[in-house]
Amino acid sequence: MSDTLEILLTNDDGIDSTGIRALHDALAEHANVTVVAPANDQSACGRSISHAVDVREHELGYAVEGTPADCVVAGLAELGPEPDLVVAGCNRGANLGEYVLGRSGTISAAVEAAFFDVPAIATSLYVPLGDITFDELEVEPADFEEATRVTSYLAEHALEAGIFEHAAYLNVNVPLPDTDPAPIEITQPSKRYEMDAERNGGAVHLTDRIWESMDPETIPDPEGTDRRAVAEGRISISPLTAPHSTNHHEALEALAETYLETVTAASR
């Protein structure tokens, strides 16, 4: 990683989170890092965007009263130097599966960068919950050792290797550090979806039941998926594109051709 490499760093956990500090300190050893991150936790906000956001200076860079997408637009268009790479993270909690891609603020920051034609890396840390809830989850700087190591490696090598000629961004999910570095597996987002809802009086409680079946011995996700790789202790990297592609659909084209004829006849 050269001293001239420019990185825009953001997240969705907020600028004071442990993960962004750990990633900043690791990347700043070898690159110029500009931090533009939400002032507060913006988890699961997707690509929500604002018309105007307040900005204040922070010891790491800029704290924005807005979303990760706001931060990327503000950072790329106004607040920071033109970066070679956008990095989002490191998120406290994994971002796994197709259904998460549009929900996660961390991944949405990378997608926003892709629309600017700036390559991006979104990094998240998988922490098994066991008997605790996500709100009770606590992480220490040492927990991000594997995540900062692989993100620094990708920032150093991916651009020159031509990775972003074929991918707009990388969705990276990392297990907790072990004695030895974890191997990398190139994956696809899992297609599993197990959201559930239960009414309790005047409220409806939404539950993501996927996290109840992350035991590596019994996990149902197939080989080659991000969720299986991380559950079994490997680093998952999914090379993804944006914007979303569309498929040629003859049946839909045929339906479109009969639209005017049908609605004209119905109006007579």
Side-chain angles (χ1 to χ4, degrees):
M1 197 184 300
S2 72
D3 290 338
T4 59
L5 182 67
E6 291 285 350
I7 295 177
L8 175 67
L9 177 61
T10 191
N11 72 346
D12 74 353
D13 288 337
I15 197 167
D16 293 316
S17 69
T18 306
I20 198 170
R21 169 71 72 172
L23 204 46
H24 168 272
D25 291 351
L27 294 172
E29 290 184 9
H30 306 286
N32 298 321
V33 181
T34 301
V35 174
V36 183
N40 303 296
D41 190 348
Q42 297 288 321
S43 297
C45 69
R47 285 185 61 226
S48 214
I49 201 82
S50 308
H51 293 296
V53 289
D54 292 331
V55 179
R56 60 178 170 83
E57 292 189 3
H58 185 279
E59 61 171 317
L60 288 182
Y62 298 96
V64 175
E65 297 288 346
T67 68
D70 293 333
C71 294
V72 171
V73 175
L76 293 180
E78 177 65 24
L79 295 177
E82 183 175 346
D84 302 296
L85 181 70
V86 169
V87 176
C90 181
N91 193 62
R92 182 185 70 115
N95 280 304
L96 300 164
E98 284 187 347
Y99 74 107
V100 167
L101 296 180
R103 180 185 296 172
S104 161
T106 304
I107 296 174
S108 294
V111 172
E112 200 69 37
F115 280 97
F116 277 87
D117 292 323
V118 178
I121 299 170
T123 304
S124 302
L125 178 69
Y126 168 59
V127 184
L129 293 177
D131 295 329
I132 67 172
T133 66
F134 186 79
D135 291 338
E136 297 171 319
L137 176 64
E138 294 184 5
V139 288
E140 303 295 333
D143 293 328
F144 293 95
E145 179 183 353
E146 188 82 76
T148 58
R149 179 166 52 224
V150 70
T151 306
S152 297
Y153 174 83
L154 291 169
E156 181 178 358
H157 297 288
L159 290 167
E160 191 172 300
I163 301 302
F164 295 106
E165 295 174 11
H166 307 283
Y169 67 101
L170 304 178
N171 183 29
V172 182
N173 283 275
V174 187
L176 287 168
D178 203 348
T179 305
D180 298 317
I184 290 174
E185 180 177 347
I186 308 305
T187 60
Q188 296 182 338
S190 174
K191 296 183 181 297
R192 267 181 69 212
Y193 181 75
E194 296 183 15
M195 291 298 300
D196 195 9
E198 181 179 352
R199 185 168 184 173
N200 184 4
V204 175
H205 296 272
L206 311 180
T207 305
D208 186 350
R209 301 211 175 274
I210 277 178
W211 303 106
E212 299 171 3
S213 55
M214 290 292 289
D215 185 340
E217 298 295 328
T218 58
I219 190 168
D221 301 77
E223 297 287 342
T225 58
D226 53 1
R227 191 174 289 111
R228 174 174 282 274
V230 171
E232 293 179 346
R234 298 182 293 279
I235 298 168
S236 164
I237 301 180
S238 295
L240 301 171
T241 59
H244 306 298
S245 60
T246 55
N247 297 322
H248 179 71
H249 203 297
E250 292 182 359
L252 184 57
E253 288 184 353
L255 193 63
E257 289 176 359
T258 63
Y259 169 70
L260 286 179
E261 179 182 344
T262 301
V263 297
T264 300
S267 64
R268 290 174 180 169

